[in-house]
């Protein structure tokens, strides 16, 4: 599951993979800002991913899904940590990644956002 999540994150325009906290945590960024964090796992078992989220949506997701918790070591109002154990369909995980990416991209300055989109051919 880890590889599928990383691959989907990297499919987003301008997404880059970094390891600023050490080799055990993959950080996905756009425009130099984090939109996803994933503890590195091997194999095809459960993985977890932390994603930025609108606070109201974040609270609703936590109420609806046991696998969605407040962000681990992150601002719990704006971040969720999701255990990708098969209880949520991949389409739902992709939608959460899309939401996080869109929030971060939208929060960039106009110049930074345009640089991301121009570099990729947006």
């Amino acid at each position: 599951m880890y590889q599928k999540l990383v691959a989907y994150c990297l499919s987003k325009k301008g997404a880059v993979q970094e390891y600023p906290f050490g080799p055990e945590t993959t950080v996905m960024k756009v425009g130099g800002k984090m939109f996803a964090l994933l503890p590195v796992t091997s194999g095809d078992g459960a993985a977890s991913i932390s994603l930025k989220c609108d606070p109201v949506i974040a609270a609703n997701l936590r109420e609806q899904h046991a696998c969605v918790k407040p962000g681990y070591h992150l601002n719990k109002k704006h971040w969720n940590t999701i255990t990708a154990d098969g209880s949520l369909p991949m389409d739902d995980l992709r939608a959460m990644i899309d939401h996080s990416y869109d929030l971060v991209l939208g929060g960039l300055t106009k110049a930074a956002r345009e640089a991301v989109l121009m570099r990729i051919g947006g």
Side-chain angles (χ1 to χ4, degrees):
M1 181 58 74
Y2 167 81
Q3 292 298 334
K4 287 180 185 177
L5 294 171
V6 168
Y8 186 73
C9 288
L10 288 173
S11 75
K12 307 302 288 173
K13 290 181 181 180
V16 296
Q17 182 176 351
E18 297 181 357
Y19 297 88
F21 307 119
E24 55 282 331
T25 304
T26 301
V27 176
M28 298 296 177
K29 293 183 177 183
V30 61
K33 303 286 185 183
M34 298 187 306
F35 72 92
L37 294 92
L38 301 93
V40 175
T41 59
S42 59
D44 213 20
S48 71
I49 184 168
S50 295
L51 298 166
K52 193 161 190 169
C53 192
D54 174 89
V56 173
I57 296 171
N60 286 338
L61 288 169
R62 292 174 200 159
E63 288 175 10
Q64 294 172 12
H65 305 285
C67 64
V68 180
K69 304 284 186 206
Y72 181 70
H73 288 301
L74 296 161
N75 181 324
K76 293 175 182 356
K77 181 177 178 182
H78 295 279
W79 288 82
N80 279 338
T81 297
I82 302 100
T83 302
D85 57 6
S87 61
L88 273 179
M90 191 64 187
D91 285 347
D92 289 354
L93 289 169
R94 285 189 198 105
M96 291 178 187
I97 292 168
D98 292 346
H99 178 66
S100 180
Y101 173 87
D102 291 343
L103 281 175
V104 174
L105 185 65
L108 297 175
T109 65
K110 183 178 179 184
R113 191 168 47 251
E114 288 177 355
V116 167
L117 298 175
M118 295 280 286
R119 183 173 59 235
I120 304 305

